[in-house]
Structures are given as structure tokens and as C-alpha cells.
Amino acid sequence: MNNMAFFVNMPRTIVLLLLLVLSPPLFTHPAKKFVLADYKLIKTLCHEAETPKTCLSCVRSSKGSLQADGVGIAIIIVNCMMDKANALKLNITNLASTSHGNQKSICERCIEDFKIAEKELVLAKNALHEHKYGEAGSYVDKALSFGVTCRTDLKSYHDKVPSDVFRDMKIFVELYKAAFAIILKI
């Protein structure tokens, strides 16, 4: 009789085994769709900015980008701007250590400008967290103005300034364009 019970329950056992074997694809498939949807949001927002390659590069560099909404993506780009401002501040500090006269004083002003830009970007992030998008845009604008002033001042010393400083300044402006465009969309 025990053998008979085994055969009667065999279809149930097979069904349970099939469910166990097939369940991982059933549960992971919706997650893949979710990730694709977020990647589409990133692509859409970055392609609406003037500088999609810089935007995508920045956003992809963040671990949490695929879970980010529009505000989160804007914050990621502001973080990239902060990183770039910090790198510029350090590179210009190195340049100032070997500069003399007017070039040295311009470098020192630029260092202070990028310190202020970093503070403005922190304020922009806070405003984004509080959903105060107008304020966030204003802070990002102020941060950009310090970078543009520095670039304009250093252009007269173009031959004495490492090319990577100007490249980073260009990326800083591109990140601004992306951040501002996304802030306008959210």
C-alpha cells in the first residue's frame, strides 16, 4: 500500500520539483524589466541634455544609478560636478605652487572659486532632496559661474596651464548642462 501512495503523490512531487527548478527565472525576470526601465530613464534624461555622453558616463559611474529616479539622477550628476570641482581645485593648487605673479594670483582666486562652487553644489543637492528644483538650479548656476570665471581668467596663460585642467573645466561645464537640463525636467 505504501508503494501505491508514492505513485499517487508522484504528479504532485513532479509539479513541486518543476516549480522549484523554474522559479528562479520566474522571479528574476520582472527585476530585469525593472532595471531596463530605469536604464531607459537614464538614457532618456541624458539624451535630452546637450551633453549625453558626459551625462551617461557620469551616471553609469554611480552604483545606485539603476535604482535612481529623475531626482536621483540629477543628484548623481551634481556629485560628478563636485568631484570635478575638487579635482580642478587640486590641479590648480599644484599649478599655483609653480606659478608667479598674476598667474599665481589667478590660480589662488580659482582655488577659492572652486571651493565656493563645491559649497553651492552641496546646497543644490540639499535642495534636490527637498524637491526645491528652482533653488537647486540656481545653486548649480552659481557653481558654474565660478568655474567659467576661472576658465576665462586662465585662458590668457593657456600655454602654461596643463591641458587636462582645461579638459576638466570643459567636462565641468558639460556636467552642468546635463544637471540643469534634468533639473528642468523633474
Side-chain angles (χ1 to χ4, degrees), residues 2-58:
N2 283 345
N3 287 340
M4 185 62 115
F6 175 76
F7 287 112
V8 170
N9 291 327
M10 190 172 193
R12 289 186 204 156
T13 306
I14 291 173
V15 169
L16 287 173
L17 283 173
L18 282 173
L19 281 174
L20 286 172
V21 170
L22 295 177
S23 64
L26 291 173
F27 292 116
T28 59
H29 186 67
K32 287 182 183 178
K33 281 188 176 181
F34 179 71
V35 169
L36 288 175
D38 289 337
Y39 183 70
K40 286 179 184 176
L41 174 65
I42 292 166
K43 275 184 73 171
T44 299
L45 289 174
C46 283
H47 282 288
E48 289 177 2
E50 276 182 56
T51 56
K53 286 174 77 175
T54 302
C55 178
L56 285 169
S57 176
C58 165

Side-chain angles (χ1 to χ4, degrees), residues 45-169:
L45 289 174
C46 283
H47 282 288
E48 289 177 2
E50 276 182 56
T51 56
K53 286 174 77 175
T54 302
C55 178
L56 285 169
S57 176
C58 165
V59 175
R60 286 179 182 158
S61 71
S62 174
K63 290 179 183 176
S65 63
L66 291 177
Q67 290 79 33
D69 58 2
V71 174
I73 292 169
I75 290 169
I76 290 168
I77 296 171
V78 170
N79 283 334
C80 288
M81 286 183 74
M82 289 175 65
D83 292 344
K84 195 56 68 181
N86 187 48
L88 283 161
K89 184 178 65 181
L90 294 173
N91 287 337
I92 295 170
T93 299
N94 290 337
L95 179 62
S97 69
T98 60
S99 300
H100 305 292
N102 196 35
Q103 182 182 0
K104 185 174 186 81
S105 63
I106 288 172
C107 287
E108 289 169 348
R109 260 195 329 265
C110 284
I111 293 164
E112 292 306 312
D113 285 350
F114 279 109
K115 285 180 183 177
I116 296 168
E118 287 177 309
K119 290 177 184 174
E120 294 295 325
L121 292 169
V122 167
L123 293 171
K125 281 178 36 177
N126 292 341
L128 285 166
H129 282 295
E130 296 170 4
H131 305 286
K132 296 178 180 178
Y133 306 124
E135 285 182 30
S138 177
Y139 292 128
V140 170
D141 266 343
K142 288 177 189 174
L144 174 70
S145 70
F146 291 106
V148 170
T149 300
C150 179
R151 181 182 175 141
T152 302
D153 291 345
L154 283 177
K155 270 193 171 186
S156 58
Y157 296 96
H158 194 272
D159 295 343
K160 297 178 182 178
V161 177
S163 61
D164 61 327
V165 169
F166 288 110
R167 184 196 71 238
D168 283 351
M169 287 181 174

